[in-house]
Amino acid sequence: MFSFLGQYEHSLDDKGRLTIPSAYRGAFEDGLVITRGKQHYLIIFPLEKWAALVKRFEDLPVYTQDRPANLRRLVFAHAVSTALDSHGRVRIPDHLRTFAQIEGQAVLAGVGD
């Protein structure tokens, strides 16, 4: 089982692309989803883990103001499906870079699976 471990600091290029550490790239071969976290950070999911998250949210309400519905809206409304380019980079959309206050450098921190 693959685990995301460690911290890596990388610069974004002028097109908003971030190099994914080589240690993580294998997990993103099939694609990835980027979304907002609760604070000013982003979460990057391999497609397999994103599918598992979608399944967990399936039975949660959407049209209420309770905490699960708010979390569901936060996670899905800002999510972007994408893929690594041939150099192992991913473009972080402007709205997500603004939210996470990413300007020139970003820290990728592994948090397990």
Side-chain angles (χ1 to χ4, degrees):
M1 174 163 80
F2 181 83
S3 288
F4 292 97
L5 303 172
Q7 291 187 33
Y8 303 86
E9 189 171 326
H10 287 276
S11 298
L12 275 76
D13 67 12
D14 58 345
K15 295 181 181 178
R17 295 177 299 197
L18 177 67
T19 300
I20 299 297
S22 58
Y24 293 175
R25 289 181 196 165
F28 299 121
E29 287 177 348
D30 295 330
L32 55 109
V33 174
I34 307 169
T35 193
R36 290 173 47 162
K38 285 185 171 184
Q39 304 288 322
H40 292 282
Y41 60 88
L42 303 178
I43 305 170
I44 304 175
F45 292 94
L47 285 184
E48 175 186 345
K49 295 297 180 182
W50 178 255
L53 181 70
V54 168
K55 190 163 186 66
R56 288 180 50 199
F57 276 104
E58 281 178 349
D59 295 328
L60 293 180
V62 178
Y63 305 109
T64 67
Q65 290 301 315
D66 64 357
R67 188 177 180 142
N70 288 337
L71 181 60
R72 182 176 179 166
R73 285 190 292 271
L74 172 85
V75 169
F76 288 96
H78 300 283
V80 175
S81 181
T82 188
L84 298 180
D85 68 12
S86 61
H87 299 286
R89 300 173 301 194
V90 62
R91 185 179 180 288
I92 309 295
D94 295 342
H95 72 281
L96 292 175
R97 284 198 323 268
T98 299
F99 168 77
Q101 302 171 349
I102 300 171
E103 293 179 16
Q105 295 275 104
V107 174
L108 289 96
V111 292
D113 67 349

